Every structure is written in C-alpha cells, then in structure tokens.
Amino acid sequence: MTSETMDPRVKHPDTFPSQSQDQPGKTGESRPTPDHGEESYRGSGRLQGRRALITGGDSGIGRAVAIAFAREGADVAIAHMPEELDDADDTVRLIADAGRLGVSFAGDLRDERFATSIVTDTVSQLGGLDILVLNAAYQKDRESLAALETDEFDRVFRTNLYAMLWSAREAVPHLKPGSSIIVTSSIQAFNPSPGLIDYAMTKAAQVAFVKALAEQLGPEGIRVNAVAPGPIWTPLIPATGWDADKVTSFGQDTPLGRAGQPAELAGAYVYLASEAASYVSSAVLPVTGGKGL
C-alpha cells in the first residue's frame, strides 16, 4: 500500500475570505477551519509512553502537535487561556480518542504562578514529564513604533518570553536524559515584518534561548530545539488585526504560493521529540513553504 503524493502548491487553500476576530482567536470562527491533522495524521508509536506538556495547545499549531503526539503514543497536557476552553476541550477529546490521557490547564501564562504550576500539575497528573513544547504566543499588527503602546509591548514579551522562561525553568529539574524541549519560534526571527516588530523581537530572542539552553542542558542528556514556522493558518491570523487584503492573500508570498496548515508542522515536532532526533540539539527547523530564514 502506498500513500498518495500531492502537489504541495494545491494541497490546501491559497486564499482566505475576509475576516477578523478578537484575541486570542477561536477555531470555530476561523474560515476555513484550520487542518490540525484530525483526519490525516497516522501515528507509528514513535513517542510511546512519553509525557508531554504543550503551551497554547488548544488550537492551531499546538492542537496539531497534541494530536500527533497522542497518536504517536504520548500522554498530553495542554495549557490555554480561560476563554479558549471550548477549543481546549476539543483538543483533549482528540487526545482521548487516540487512546491516551489528555488534561488541560486554564490560565494566563503571563502569571508566573500559572506558568510554573502547569509543569508541576503535568508531572502530578501524567506521572512525569519528558517533552516540553513552548508554543503559546501573542502577536498584533503595529501601525508604527510610535503607536506601539507599552501595555501591548509588555503583553507580547510576557507571553512569548517570560512565560517560556518560567515554564522551562520549572520543568528542567523534572526532565531526565532523553527528554526534549521544543520552542515554537518563527520565520519572523530571521525575516521580520515591520508590523510585527515586537513579536519578531521575541522570536529572535527565543532562538538565542534555544541555543544557550541546548549548550547548558546537553551535558545532562536533554535536547533543546526550535521549529520556525512560516505563514500558518491558525486562529491567531484573523485575530492579528490585519486588513482584509492581507488576510485574503496570507501566505501567497511563499515559493509554494500558499499558507501552511497546522497539520503540516506536526511531523517536525514529532521528529524533534523522537529518538530519530537523538543527535539533534540547538537546531532551528524551518517549516516555511520555501521562504528562507
């Protein structure tokens, strides 16, 4: 039995209807609904018996990774904002449908106590922690640097950097040799857009974090890597504040001519978490539709 190979240019939509959402964005309000691999991802036991925590695991890339990890044999905990409970419940149901234990934690990662409690709660409920995926992020379109308010700047940095550091710091004492930390960075770390200046700054800082932490934890047998997505269709996109034209043409500037879907990133995270990547650390794996870092 062979699997069908599709032309990657036409595998998913290359245009989107005009739409907008309030932050943090909801899956059910995104048109078309993002593909998280619900119907397509097939596991092969590559993460059997592992325990994973994914921040921002309710929707988008985080949900796709949660589905893939569960179908590869991992138990999965996710963290999400309280207003994302419906999406989180759907993700936990998909984890359970794969025959694995799924749990969710609602709160705001800008709160240090929540960012650390999700680690200890994961260890308690799953019996340990082997894979930490630091995926939660916030972005908003900025008209100019002059218009960037301090409260907004602070929200981006606390969500994308402070929370990442707090959760990782709490997790490290629980990680054993063979464990893995994976950060969702972005093509914005290397090819920043002016309207995402503060977001791009945090994504560049995440790359430095990954490289420094990989060197620090390597002697303990813990690998640290990043995935750098390009334009991916998630609820965050219609909630970014872009005008209709930018949403409609989102991702068309890639060599493949379209945005990616969350399901198209799941394999990268599975690879980095699995034994197939046992000699991979400090790497930044681009999934960008051909756009260079």
Side-chain angles (χ1 to χ4, degrees), residues 206-259:
Q206 287 178 344
V207 171
F209 173 83
V210 163
K211 291 182 176 298
L213 192 61
E215 185 168 346
Q216 182 181 131
L217 297 183
E220 299 179 30
I222 300 168
R223 298 181 297 105
V224 186
N225 294 289
V227 176
I232 307 298
W233 182 247
T234 73
L236 183 62
I237 301 310
T240 293
W242 285 322
D243 61 29
D245 288 343
K246 195 154 189 175
V247 172
T248 300
S249 63
F250 179 67
Q252 291 181 1
D253 60 343
T254 65
L256 291 182
R258 64 168 176 85

